[in-house]
C-alpha cells in the first residue's frame, strides 16, 4: 500500500487493490516467467511516485520461501514524500509476533498450514526520510521520521481483509493527535507537513493475540526495500545475493 504526502487528503485514497479508478498512468508486468519470477512497474502521478516490484520464489517445505523487492522514486524533488506500507494478516489458527530493531522489521510465526516461518522487511540504508523542522522536533510526542516503523493490531479473523480500512483509521487518529500537540505547544496553524502528520510511531502492544501487522516507510527521492518470507526449510533460505541476481 502507498499514499503521497503532499496532498493531505491522499490518506483517503490509499492505494491497495488494483482498481480502474486509481488512474495510474502505468501498471503491469514488464517481464515474468509465470512461475517463480516477475517484475512490474506502477507509475502513480496522483500520489507522486513510481514503484517497481520484483519477486522470486524458492522451493521448500510448506510452499517454500519467497522474496519481493520494491524500488522506485518520488516524482517531484520538492515533496513531502510518500508513505509505503506492507502488511501481513493471520486469518486462521496460529501465532505471529512482530519486532522492530536496527532498521529492520521482523515477524516470527507458526500456523498449521505453513509450519514455522520468519519474515523480514528491510529498507535500504540509502533511503532518505523527510526531516522535520527544528521547531516541530521540540514538540513533546513528535519525533523524527524513522527508517521503518511497525504497527500490530488485533482484529476479527473474518475481517483481516479490511486491512486498508483499519490502517486508515490508525493513520487518521495518529495525525489528529499530532496536530493537536503541535497546535497546543507551538500555536502553529495548518497546513502541517504531510510527513509529520502521517508517519506512524512503532506501536507493538506486549499483549499477545495480534493478527494484523503493518510496516511503514516514509521516503523521499529514490528508495528500495526488501520483503523476505522464509519457511523452516534450511535449503530454501534467501539472502541479499539471491535477490540481487534474480
Amino acid at each position: 500500500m502507498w499514499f503521497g504526502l503532499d496532498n493531505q487528503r491522499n490518506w483517503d485514497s490509499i492505494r491497495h487493490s488494483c482498481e480502474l479508478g486509481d488512474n495510474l498512468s502505468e501498471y503491469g508486468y514488464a517481464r515474468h516467467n509465470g512461475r517463480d519470477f516477475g517484475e512490474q512497474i506502477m507509475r502513480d502521478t496522483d500520489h507522486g511516485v513510481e514503484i517497481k516490484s520484483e519477486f522470486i520464489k524458492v522451493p521448500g517445505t510448506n510452499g517454500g520461501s519467497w522474496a519481493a523487492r520494491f524500488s522506485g522514486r518520488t516524482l517531484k524533488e520538492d515533496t513531502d514524500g510518500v508513505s509505503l506500507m506492507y502488511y501481513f494478516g493471520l486469518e486462521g489458527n496460529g501465532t505471529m509476533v512482530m519486532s522492530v530493531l536496527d532498521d529492520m522489521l521482523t515477524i516470527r510465526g507458526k500456523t498449521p498450514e505453513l509450519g514455522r516461518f520468519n519474515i523480514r522487511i528491510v529498507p535500504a540504508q540509502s533511503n532518505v526520510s523527510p526531516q522535520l523542522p527544528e521547531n516541530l522536533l521540540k514538540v513533546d510526542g513528535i519525533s523524527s521520521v524513522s527508517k521503518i516503523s511497525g504497527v500490530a493490531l488485533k482484529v476479527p479473523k473474518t475481517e483481516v481483509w479490511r486491512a486498508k480500512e483499519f490502517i486508515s483509521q490508525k493513520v487518521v487518529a495518529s495525525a489528529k493527535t499530532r496536530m493537536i500537540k503541535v497546535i497546543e505547544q507551538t500555536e502553529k496553524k495548518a497546513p502541517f507537513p504531510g510527513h509529520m502528520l502521517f508517519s506512524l510511531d512503532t506501536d507493538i502492544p506486549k499483549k499477545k493475540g495480534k493478527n494484523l501487522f503493518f510496516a511503514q516507510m516514509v521516503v523521499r527521492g529514490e528508495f528500495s526495500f526488501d520483503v523476505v518470507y522464509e519457511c523452516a526449510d534450511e535449503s530454501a533460505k534467501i539472502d541479499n545475493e539471491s535477490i540481487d541476481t534474480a
Side-chain angles (χ1 to χ4, degrees), residues 105-162:
L105 185 147
T106 303
I107 298 174
R108 294 178 290 106
K110 181 181 180 182
T111 71
E113 299 81 9
L114 299 174
R116 294 187 182 277
F117 58 86
N118 289 297
I119 299 166
R120 61 183 185 272
I121 301 178
V122 188
Q125 288 300 310
S126 58
N127 287 2
V128 175
S129 299
Q131 298 302 307
L132 294 178
E134 287 294 329
N135 65 318
L136 293 183
L137 287 175
K138 296 177 181 178
V139 175
D140 182 39
I142 303 294
S143 57
S144 57
V145 180
S146 303
K147 192 172 287 288
I148 187 169
S149 59
V151 172
L153 304 175
K154 183 177 182 180
V155 305
K157 291 181 179 180
T158 56
E159 297 184 13
V160 169
W161 63 273
R162 295 172 56 201

Side-chain angles (χ1 to χ4, degrees), residues 3-108:
F3 63 98
L5 299 173
D6 290 328
N7 183 337
Q8 295 184 1
R9 296 296 301 176
N10 276 346
W11 66 265
D12 201 27
S13 59
I14 295 176
R15 304 307 199 201
H16 184 216
S17 56
C18 181
E19 306 290 345
L20 287 175
D22 286 347
N23 196 34
L24 268 64
S25 56
E26 179 182 0
Y27 71 93
Y29 280 100
R31 55 193 181 116
H32 66 87
N33 64 6
R35 299 183 305 278
D36 54 16
F37 169 79
E39 174 186 305
Q40 61 177 331
I41 297 174
M42 295 157 283
R43 184 178 176 87
D44 186 351
T45 54
D46 288 350
H47 286 252
V49 65
E50 181 177 279
I51 302 173
K52 179 173 73 170
S53 68
E54 305 166 89
F55 77 88
I56 59 170
K57 294 178 66 176
V58 178
T61 57
N62 297 320
S65 301
W66 57 265
R69 170 166 292 172
F70 299 87
S71 58
R73 62 185 180 91
T74 50
L75 299 180
K76 297 188 298 183
E77 292 186 8
D78 182 20
T79 176
D80 272 349
V82 62
S83 167
L84 306 169
M85 292 184 172
Y86 203 96
Y87 73 91
F88 288 88
L90 180 62
E91 295 180 305
N93 295 324
T95 59
M96 294 173 71
V97 179
M98 182 171 71
S99 61
V100 179
L101 183 64
D102 296 333
D103 294 334
M104 179 171 70
L105 185 147
T106 303
I107 298 174
R108 294 178 290 106

